[in-house]
């Protein structure tokens, strides 16, 4: 598969299946974390032929997706004397991918990087599309830049070691794409047995093709790409308020989709049976659908920290039936609070 970007007349390759031999005539810095290194680094090193290969590990976890870790990556790059022609490889989940994308985007004003995602979430979503960044005390992904990878290698074999909970978190992003863009894909997921490797690859391929199409249309998120934030407006607040780490990103997004669906139901954008079908699919994949908000007012206030909340107007991304999505602003605060109270 090739992803093309309207704005730049460039594109890059997304490779599916066994990780091929990578012959790279340059210095390479692999960035990963100790867990992934322990499980899969030897496999990766066995496939790389390069001038010099270095490896840098960042502690595991969303809490480390911060400036300090980016500094550590940059420091490793300087210590090993990487230059403008060198390459970084993001080897891990979305946390590593987002940080390496950012670090490579600012190192010497930007060098190439490759994504080798090892979680389902990263394979179906975060490794494709060029959004990079880190969190800070004000919220998720508030600092970052658009930096497209040179190539993405999606090898489902890496998922063999992924814990079940992490698989579910990745499936939340898959459900997101189906609900927003593709009713047929939604039906496919309802009948899917993901323990079958071929089915899994078909699912990943379909999810990536949806994401690639959306990014092609709207790389910088001025329009339709914002739909990929369905469930995220709520989900980011859940992640922030519960302290990064309690809920996995995909789990928070699952709950966030339920909140968005509750609002969509109240606005007659979806029917009760569609609401129930989405809930059932999330549950089938082991994604949480319930949450206890402590204080609805402070939850509401948090919307205004989101970088997508322009001019103090909250833009809600809501399903319109299954396979369709719409944006709604100017929803009365009282209605939003009513919806939030259903999650107390
Ligand atoms: N840039 C984007 O477009 C985009 C899109 C969606 C999500 N994200 C970001 O992605 C992040 C979430 O990514 P994630 O869910 O991959 O989390 P993650 O990177 O924290 O990985 C989840 C866990 O799985 C472990 N792991 C990774 N690969 C493994 C393997 N093969 N076997 C066993 N364990 C493995 C990791 O060490 C970690 O403990 C969030 O920070 C989110 O903001 C970015
Ligand atoms: Zn997400």
């Amino acid at each position: 598969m090739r992803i093309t970007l309207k704005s730049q007349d460039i594109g890059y390759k997304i490779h599916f299946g066994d990780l091929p031999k990578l012959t790279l005539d340059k210095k390479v810095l692999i960035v990963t974390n100790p867990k992934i290194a322990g499980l899969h680094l030897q496999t990766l090193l066995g496939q790389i032929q390069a001038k010099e290969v270095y490896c840098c590990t960042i502690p595991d976890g969303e809490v480390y997706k911060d400036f300090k870790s980016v500094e550590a990556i940059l420091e490793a790059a300087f210590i090993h004397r990487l230059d403008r022609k060198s390459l970084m490889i993001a080897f891990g989940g979305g946390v590593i991918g987002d940080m390496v994308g950012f670090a490579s985007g600012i190192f010497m004003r930007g060098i190439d990087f490759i994504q080798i995602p090892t979680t389902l979430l990263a394979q179906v979503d975060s490794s494709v599309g060029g959004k990079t960044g880190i969190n800070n005390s004000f919220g998720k992904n508030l600092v970052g830049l658009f930096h497209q990878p040179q190539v993405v290698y999606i090898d489902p074999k890496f998922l063999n070691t992924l814990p079940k909970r992490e698989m579910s978190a990745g499936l939340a992003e898959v459900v997101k794409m189906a609900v927003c863009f593709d009713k047929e894909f939604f039906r496919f997921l309802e009948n899917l047995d993901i323990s079958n490797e071929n089915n899994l690859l078909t699912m990943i391929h379909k999810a990536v093709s949806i994401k690639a199409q959306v990014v092609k249309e709207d790389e910088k998120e001025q329009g339709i790409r914002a739909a990929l934030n369905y469930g995220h407006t709520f989900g980011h607040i859940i992640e922030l308020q519960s302290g990064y780490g309690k809920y996995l990103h995909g789990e928070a997004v699952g709950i966030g989709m339920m909140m968005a669906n509750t609002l969509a139901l109240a606005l007659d954008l979806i029917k009760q049976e569609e609401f129930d079908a989405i809930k059932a699919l999330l549950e089938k994949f082991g994604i949480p659908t319930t949450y206890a908000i402590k204080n609805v007012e402070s939850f509401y206030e948090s919307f205004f920290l989101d970088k997508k909340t322009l001019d103090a107007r909250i833009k809600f991304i809501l399903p319109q039936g299954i396979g369709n999505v719409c944006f709604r602003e100017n929803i009365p605060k009282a209605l939003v609070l009513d919806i939030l109270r259903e999650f107390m």
Side-chain angles (χ1 to χ4, degrees):
M1 189 188 296
R2 219 184 141 69
I3 176 163
T4 48
L5 301 166
K6 268 186 181 170
S7 57
Q8 297 172 30
D9 202 27
I10 57 156
Y12 53 95
K13 216 178 142 208
I14 305 168
H15 182 282
F16 293 89
D18 292 349
L19 183 66
K21 280 253 179 269
L22 309 178
T23 309
L24 307 158
D25 183 24
K26 47 184 79 176
K27 278 193 187 184
V28 175
L29 178 66
I30 299 167
V31 183
T32 187
N33 73 33
K35 190 198 272 176
I36 301 157
L39 291 166
H40 300 295
L41 187 59
Q42 285 313 317
T43 307
L44 175 60
L45 290 174
Q47 294 302 92
I48 295 184
Q49 215 169 28
K51 256 189 187 158
E52 294 167 45
V53 182
Y54 300 100
C55 190
C56 147
T57 57
I58 300 297
D60 187 10
E62 182 76 36
V63 280
Y64 296 104
K65 192 174 134 179
D66 62 6
F67 262 120
K68 223 174 130 202
S69 299
V70 168
E71 263 179 48
I73 298 170
L74 295 176
E75 211 171 287
F78 286 114
I79 288 171
H80 298 305
R81 298 181 183 280
L82 266 66
D83 58 31
R84 291 209 171 85
K85 294 207 183 85
S86 303
L87 175 85
M88 290 192 197
I89 296 181
F91 187 50
V95 167
I96 292 289
D98 279 11
M99 280 197 296
V100 177
F102 183 46
S104 60
I106 58 175
F107 178 74
M108 297 196 172
R109 299 207 181 84
I111 62 167
D112 284 343
F113 84 113
I114 288 179
Q115 289 270 21
I116 307 183
T118 62
T119 64
L120 179 62
L121 184 138
Q123 295 198 346
V124 296
D125 195 347
S126 63
S127 65
V128 174
K131 270 197 192 177
T132 78
I134 53 169
N135 308 323
N136 65 15
S137 60
F138 292 89
K140 285 262 309 170
N141 302 329
L142 292 179
V143 178
L145 40 78
F146 286 94
H147 186 214
Q148 300 291 343
Q150 199 189 37
V151 49
V152 184
Y153 292 102
I154 296 178
D155 184 346
K157 277 204 196 62
F158 291 124
L159 304 181
N160 290 341
T161 55
L162 196 66
K164 203 165 174 288
R165 200 176 151 202
E166 296 289 349
M167 274 308 270
S168 294
L171 286 164
E173 304 280 10
V174 178
V175 173
K176 167 189 87 176
M177 300 202 212
V179 172
C180 291
F181 297 109
D182 198 325
K183 189 171 183 170
E184 211 178 294
F185 187 38
F186 187 89
R187 297 290 169 232
F188 168 84
L189 294 175
E190 287 184 311
N191 299 310
L192 178 72
D193 168 14
I194 53 159
S195 61
N196 174 313
E197 209 170 290
N198 282 338
N199 288 346
L200 182 65
L201 192 59
T202 308
M203 179 194 80
I204 294 172
H205 195 275
K206 181 67 196 170
V208 172
S209 68
I210 293 175
K211 172 117 191 211
Q213 184 58 34
V214 172
V215 172
K216 177 182 169 187
E217 288 299 315
D218 176 26
E219 184 195 352
K220 296 279 165 74
E221 198 172 311
Q222 272 136 7
I224 191 65
R225 184 167 181 177
L228 294 173
N229 294 312
Y230 162 50
H232 286 60
T233 318
F234 295 99
H236 283 169
I237 300 174
I238 294 169
E239 283 182 270
L240 180 68
Q241 293 205 339
S242 58
Y244 294 124
K246 181 163 191 306
Y247 286 94
L248 302 177
H249 171 76
E251 291 175 334
V253 168
I255 299 164
M257 286 192 274
M258 285 303 297
M259 292 178 174
N261 298 350
T262 308
L263 184 54
L265 189 63
L267 294 169
D268 278 333
L269 291 166
I270 54 171
K271 299 193 201 85
Q272 184 67 48
E273 59 260 35
E274 291 167 327
F275 178 95
D276 295 341
I278 302 171
K279 184 164 187 275
L281 184 59
L282 291 169
E283 283 168 352
K284 167 185 164 173
F285 287 150
I287 301 159
T289 53
T290 58
Y291 180 74
I293 297 176
K294 289 193 193 82
N295 181 328
V296 289
E297 281 285 347
S298 89
F299 196 100
Y300 188 85
E301 284 310 310
S302 298
F303 284 124
F304 299 98
L305 288 175
D306 198 302
K307 60 188 175 305
K308 279 147 203 127
T309 307
L310 297 170
D311 307 327
R313 279 176 300 141
I314 313 166
K315 183 157 134 189
F316 288 101
I317 300 144
L318 302 171
Q320 193 166 23
I322 290 176
N324 242 314
V325 62
C326 66
F327 301 106
R328 286 282 189 280
E329 289 176 2
N330 305 324
I331 295 181
K333 179 178 173 183
L335 175 60
V336 179
L337 290 183
D338 279 349
I339 300 302
L340 294 177
R341 275 189 206 101
E342 293 192 30
F343 290 84
M344 285 189 83

